[in-house]
mmCIF file of all heavy atoms in Angstrom:
data_model
loop_
_atom_site.group_PDB
_atom_site.id
_atom_site.type_symbol
_atom_site.label_atom_id
_atom_site.label_comp_id
_atom_site.label_asym_id
_atom_site.label_seq_id
_atom_site.Cartn_x
_atom_site.Cartn_y
_atom_site.Cartn_z
ATOM 1 N N ASP C 171 -17.010 31.768 -15.116
ATOM 2 C CA ASP C 171 -18.010 32.325 -14.220
ATOM 3 C C ASP C 171 -19.187 31.353 -14.072
ATOM 4 O O ASP C 171 -19.632 31.051 -12.963
ATOM 5 C CB ASP C 171 -18.476 33.658 -14.828
ATOM 6 C CG ASP C 171 -19.192 34.523 -13.822
ATOM 7 O OD1 ASP C 171 -18.629 34.708 -12.734
ATOM 8 O OD2 ASP C 171 -20.295 35.002 -14.131
ATOM 9 N N LEU C 175 -20.313 29.037 -10.753
ATOM 10 C CA LEU C 175 -21.666 29.118 -10.191
ATOM 11 C C LEU C 175 -22.268 27.718 -10.065
ATOM 12 O O LEU C 175 -22.875 27.363 -9.051
ATOM 13 C CB LEU C 175 -22.553 29.989 -11.080
ATOM 14 C CG LEU C 175 -24.053 29.969 -10.716
ATOM 15 C CD1 LEU C 175 -24.269 30.556 -9.332
ATOM 16 C CD2 LEU C 175 -24.893 30.734 -11.736
ATOM 17 N N ILE C 224 -24.574 33.666 0.869
ATOM 18 C CA ILE C 224 -24.710 35.038 0.351
ATOM 19 C C ILE C 224 -24.433 35.053 -1.150
ATOM 20 O O ILE C 224 -25.167 35.653 -1.937
ATOM 21 C CB ILE C 224 -23.717 35.987 1.072
ATOM 22 C CG1 ILE C 224 -24.132 36.163 2.533
ATOM 23 C CG2 ILE C 224 -23.654 37.338 0.370
ATOM 24 C CD1 ILE C 224 -23.123 36.965 3.353
ATOM 25 N N LEU C 225 -23.386 34.343 -1.526
ATOM 26 C CA LEU C 225 -22.997 34.310 -2.937
ATOM 27 C C LEU C 225 -24.147 33.791 -3.805
ATOM 28 O O LEU C 225 -24.505 34.390 -4.825
ATOM 29 C CB LEU C 225 -21.758 33.418 -3.101
ATOM 30 C CG LEU C 225 -21.260 33.243 -4.532
ATOM 31 C CD1 LEU C 225 -20.768 34.569 -5.079
ATOM 32 C CD2 LEU C 225 -20.139 32.225 -4.589
ATOM 33 N N LEU C 226 -24.744 32.678 -3.371
ATOM 34 C CA LEU C 226 -25.811 32.083 -4.172
ATOM 35 C C LEU C 226 -27.019 33.000 -4.263
ATOM 36 O O LEU C 226 -27.584 33.188 -5.344
ATOM 37 C CB LEU C 226 -26.227 30.742 -3.560
ATOM 38 C CG LEU C 226 -25.490 29.510 -4.081
ATOM 39 C CD1 LEU C 226 -26.133 28.256 -3.534
ATOM 40 C CD2 LEU C 226 -25.482 29.484 -5.611
ATOM 41 N N VAL C 227 -27.396 33.579 -3.123
ATOM 42 C CA VAL C 227 -28.562 34.472 -3.125
ATOM 43 C C VAL C 227 -28.288 35.663 -4.037
ATOM 44 O O VAL C 227 -29.114 36.037 -4.880
ATOM 45 C CB VAL C 227 -28.876 34.952 -1.688
ATOM 46 C CG1 VAL C 227 -29.915 36.074 -1.718
ATOM 47 C CG2 VAL C 227 -29.385 33.789 -0.853
ATOM 48 N N ALA C 228 -27.095 36.245 -3.907
ATOM 49 C CA ALA C 228 -26.764 37.429 -4.700
ATOM 50 C C ALA C 228 -26.721 37.092 -6.191
ATOM 51 O O ALA C 228 -27.169 37.864 -7.029
ATOM 52 C CB ALA C 228 -25.436 38.011 -4.248
ATOM 53 N N ARG C 229 -26.173 35.923 -6.508
ATOM 54 C CA ARG C 229 -26.031 35.563 -7.918
ATOM 55 C C ARG C 229 -27.361 35.207 -8.535
ATOM 56 O O ARG C 229 -27.713 35.686 -9.614
ATOM 57 C CB ARG C 229 -25.087 34.374 -8.073
ATOM 58 C CG ARG C 229 -23.656 34.733 -7.887
ATOM 59 C CD ARG C 229 -22.798 33.668 -8.497
ATOM 60 N NE ARG C 229 -22.941 33.683 -9.941
ATOM 61 C CZ ARG C 229 -21.911 33.574 -10.771
ATOM 62 N NH1 ARG C 229 -20.700 33.416 -10.312
ATOM 63 N NH2 ARG C 229 -22.093 33.594 -12.048
ATOM 64 N N LEU C 230 -28.083 34.284 -7.859
ATOM 65 C CA LEU C 230 -29.322 33.801 -8.453
ATOM 66 C C LEU C 230 -30.424 34.846 -8.308
ATOM 67 O O LEU C 230 -31.239 35.022 -9.206
ATOM 68 C CB LEU C 230 -29.742 32.483 -7.809
ATOM 69 C CG LEU C 230 -28.716 31.355 -7.993
ATOM 70 C CD1 LEU C 230 -29.159 30.091 -7.264
ATOM 71 C CD2 LEU C 230 -28.503 31.057 -9.481
ATOM 72 N N GLY C 231 -30.407 35.553 -7.190
ATOM 73 C CA GLY C 231 -31.464 36.527 -6.953
ATOM 74 C C GLY C 231 -31.210 37.831 -7.673
ATOM 75 O O GLY C 231 -32.070 38.346 -8.388
ATOM 76 N N ALA C 232 -30.014 38.384 -7.527
ATOM 77 C CA ALA C 232 -29.765 39.728 -8.037
ATOM 78 C C ALA C 232 -28.855 39.728 -9.266
ATOM 79 O O ALA C 232 -28.456 40.782 -9.731
ATOM 80 C CB ALA C 232 -29.155 40.583 -6.933
ATOM 81 N N GLY C 233 -28.520 38.548 -9.787
ATOM 82 C CA GLY C 233 -27.700 38.488 -10.996
ATOM 83 C C GLY C 233 -26.285 39.005 -10.797
ATOM 84 O O GLY C 233 -25.637 39.471 -11.712
ATOM 85 N N TRP C 234 -25.809 38.877 -9.590
ATOM 86 C CA TRP C 234 -24.498 39.376 -9.201
ATOM 87 C C TRP C 234 -23.409 38.480 -9.755
ATOM 88 O O TRP C 234 -23.485 37.264 -9.610
ATOM 89 C CB TRP C 234 -24.474 39.291 -7.686
ATOM 90 C CG TRP C 234 -23.796 40.412 -7.011
ATOM 91 C CD1 TRP C 234 -24.031 41.724 -7.176
ATOM 92 C CD2 TRP C 234 -22.803 40.266 -6.018
ATOM 93 N NE1 TRP C 234 -23.249 42.439 -6.352
ATOM 94 C CE2 TRP C 234 -22.468 41.573 -5.618
ATOM 95 C CE3 TRP C 234 -22.152 39.197 -5.426
ATOM 96 C CZ2 TRP C 234 -21.518 41.814 -4.658
ATOM 97 C CZ3 TRP C 234 -21.213 39.436 -4.475
ATOM 98 C CH2 TRP C 234 -20.898 40.740 -4.097
ATOM 99 N N ARG C 235 -22.388 39.003 -10.398
ATOM 100 C CA ARG C 235 -21.382 38.123 -10.972
ATOM 101 C C ARG C 235 -20.057 38.852 -11.152
ATOM 102 O O ARG C 235 -19.896 39.977 -10.700
ATOM 103 C CB ARG C 235 -21.870 37.563 -12.297
ATOM 104 C CG ARG C 235 -22.448 38.632 -13.196
ATOM 105 C CD ARG C 235 -23.143 38.023 -14.355
ATOM 106 N NE ARG C 235 -22.173 37.547 -15.309
ATOM 107 C CZ ARG C 235 -22.490 36.894 -16.398
ATOM 108 N NH1 ARG C 235 -23.746 36.609 -16.654
ATOM 109 N NH2 ARG C 235 -21.570 36.509 -17.246
ATOM 110 N N GLY C 236 -19.124 38.144 -11.803
ATOM 111 C CA GLY C 236 -17.858 38.796 -12.107
ATOM 112 C C GLY C 236 -16.865 38.729 -10.962
ATOM 113 O O GLY C 236 -16.807 37.756 -10.214
ATOM 114 N N ARG C 237 -16.105 39.814 -10.826
ATOM 115 C CA ARG C 237 -14.958 39.813 -9.935
ATOM 116 C C ARG C 237 -15.352 39.641 -8.465
ATOM 117 O O ARG C 237 -14.752 38.879 -7.727
ATOM 118 C CB ARG C 237 -14.190 41.109 -10.114
ATOM 119 C CG ARG C 237 -12.750 40.969 -9.757
ATOM 120 C CD ARG C 237 -11.859 41.792 -10.609
ATOM 121 N NE ARG C 237 -12.276 43.200 -10.661
ATOM 122 C CZ ARG C 237 -11.438 44.178 -10.987
ATOM 123 N NH1 ARG C 237 -10.188 43.905 -11.238
ATOM 124 N NH2 ARG C 237 -11.862 45.410 -11.056
ATOM 125 N N ARG C 238 -16.432 40.354 -8.077
ATOM 126 C CA ARG C 238 -16.819 40.278 -6.668
ATOM 127 C C ARG C 238 -17.255 38.854 -6.315
ATOM 128 O O ARG C 238 -16.926 38.323 -5.257
ATOM 129 C CB ARG C 238 -17.945 41.271 -6.383
ATOM 130 C CG ARG C 238 -17.428 42.452 -5.568
ATOM 131 C CD ARG C 238 -18.561 43.364 -5.210
ATOM 132 N NE ARG C 238 -18.992 44.153 -6.366
ATOM 133 C CZ ARG C 238 -20.024 44.990 -6.337
ATOM 134 N NH1 ARG C 238 -20.745 45.112 -5.237
ATOM 135 N NH2 ARG C 238 -20.352 45.697 -7.386
ATOM 136 N N ALA C 239 -18.000 38.228 -7.236
ATOM 137 C CA ALA C 239 -18.443 36.849 -7.014
ATOM 138 C C ALA C 239 -17.233 35.928 -6.876
ATOM 139 O O ALA C 239 -17.196 35.028 -6.028
ATOM 140 C CB ALA C 239 -19.328 36.392 -8.172
ATOM 141 N N GLN L 270 -22.423 50.448 -15.627
ATOM 142 C CA GLN L 270 -21.910 49.203 -15.062
ATOM 143 C C GLN L 270 -22.625 48.850 -13.760
ATOM 144 O O GLN L 270 -22.796 47.682 -13.440
ATOM 145 C CB GLN L 270 -20.388 49.319 -14.861
ATOM 146 C CG GLN L 270 -19.649 47.999 -14.773
ATOM 147 C CD GLN L 270 -19.933 47.073 -15.951
ATOM 148 O OE1 GLN L 270 -20.463 47.479 -16.970
ATOM 149 N NE2 GLN L 270 -19.610 45.794 -15.792
ATOM 150 N N ARG L 271 -23.069 49.877 -13.037
ATOM 151 C CA ARG L 271 -23.817 49.603 -11.816
ATOM 152 C C ARG L 271 -25.134 48.916 -12.173
ATOM 153 O O ARG L 271 -25.522 47.945 -11.546
ATOM 154 C CB ARG L 271 -24.074 50.917 -11.056
ATOM 155 C CG ARG L 271 -23.870 50.761 -9.562
ATOM 156 C CD ARG L 271 -23.848 52.115 -8.880
ATOM 157 N NE ARG L 271 -22.678 52.906 -9.226
ATOM 158 C CZ ARG L 271 -22.708 54.214 -9.489
ATOM 159 N NH1 ARG L 271 -23.849 54.889 -9.456
ATOM 160 N NH2 ARG L 271 -21.599 54.858 -9.778
ATOM 161 N N ALA L 272 -25.768 49.400 -13.226
ATOM 162 C CA ALA L 272 -27.037 48.809 -13.655
ATOM 163 C C ALA L 272 -26.828 47.388 -14.190
ATOM 164 O O ALA L 272 -27.740 46.569 -14.176
ATOM 165 C CB ALA L 272 -27.675 49.680 -14.727
ATOM 166 N N ARG L 273 -25.626 47.083 -14.648
ATOM 167 C CA ARG L 273 -25.347 45.770 -15.236
ATOM 168 C C ARG L 273 -24.974 44.737 -14.186
ATOM 169 O O ARG L 273 -24.829 43.569 -14.497
ATOM 170 C CB ARG L 273 -24.210 45.889 -16.250
ATOM 171 C CG ARG L 273 -24.506 46.799 -17.405
ATOM 172 C CD ARG L 273 -23.223 47.087 -18.165
ATOM 173 N NE ARG L 273 -22.618 45.848 -18.608
ATOM 174 C CZ ARG L 273 -22.900 45.255 -19.756
ATOM 175 N NH1 ARG L 273 -23.740 45.803 -20.591
ATOM 176 N NH2 ARG L 273 -22.325 44.134 -20.076
ATOM 177 N N ARG L 274 -24.765 45.160 -12.971
ATOM 178 C CA ARG L 274 -24.417 44.269 -11.851
ATOM 179 C C ARG L 274 -23.212 43.385 -12.164
ATOM 180 O O ARG L 274 -23.241 42.164 -11.990
ATOM 181 C CB ARG L 274 -25.597 43.361 -11.504
ATOM 182 C CG ARG L 274 -26.780 44.150 -10.976
ATOM 183 C CD ARG L 274 -27.683 43.208 -10.234
ATOM 184 N NE ARG L 274 -28.836 43.894 -9.688
ATOM 185 C CZ ARG L 274 -30.043 43.858 -10.236
ATOM 186 N NH1 ARG L 274 -30.255 43.169 -11.335
ATOM 187 N NH2 ARG L 274 -31.036 44.479 -9.678
ATOM 188 N N GLY L 275 -22.153 43.978 -12.681
ATOM 189 C CA GLY L 275 -20.907 43.236 -12.866
ATOM 190 C C GLY L 275 -20.843 42.396 -14.123
ATOM 191 O O GLY L 275 -19.848 41.737 -14.376
ATOM 192 N N ARG L 276 -21.934 42.382 -14.908
ATOM 193 C CA ARG L 276 -21.906 41.636 -16.173
ATOM 194 C C ARG L 276 -20.784 42.216 -17.041
ATOM 195 O O ARG L 276 -20.681 43.443 -17.169
ATOM 196 C CB ARG L 276 -23.250 41.812 -16.877
ATOM 197 C CG ARG L 276 -23.634 40.732 -17.836
ATOM 198 C CD ARG L 276 -25.160 40.620 -17.884
ATOM 199 N NE ARG L 276 -25.796 41.917 -18.108
ATOM 200 C CZ ARG L 276 -25.969 42.469 -19.317
ATOM 201 N NH1 ARG L 276 -25.550 41.866 -20.400
ATOM 202 N NH2 ARG L 276 -26.571 43.630 -19.438
ATOM 203 N N PRO L 277 -19.910 41.379 -17.616
ATOM 204 C CA PRO L 277 -18.759 41.932 -18.342
ATOM 205 C C PRO L 277 -19.170 42.723 -19.582
ATOM 206 O O PRO L 277 -20.151 42.391 -20.248
ATOM 207 C CB PRO L 277 -17.939 40.698 -18.726
ATOM 208 C CG PRO L 277 -18.847 39.544 -18.573
ATOM 209 C CD PRO L 277 -19.877 39.911 -17.567
#
Side-chain angles (χ1 to χ4, degrees):
Chain C
D171 197 50
L175 171 64
I224 291 174
L225 178 65
L226 269 188
V227 170
R229 285 199 68 137
L230 299 177
W234 218 53
R235 47 191 284 176
R237 206 145 52 158
R238 253 184 285 176
Chain L
Q270 201 53 15
R271 222 168 292 138
R273 299 167 57 88
R274 295 199 179 102
R276 205 151 51 84

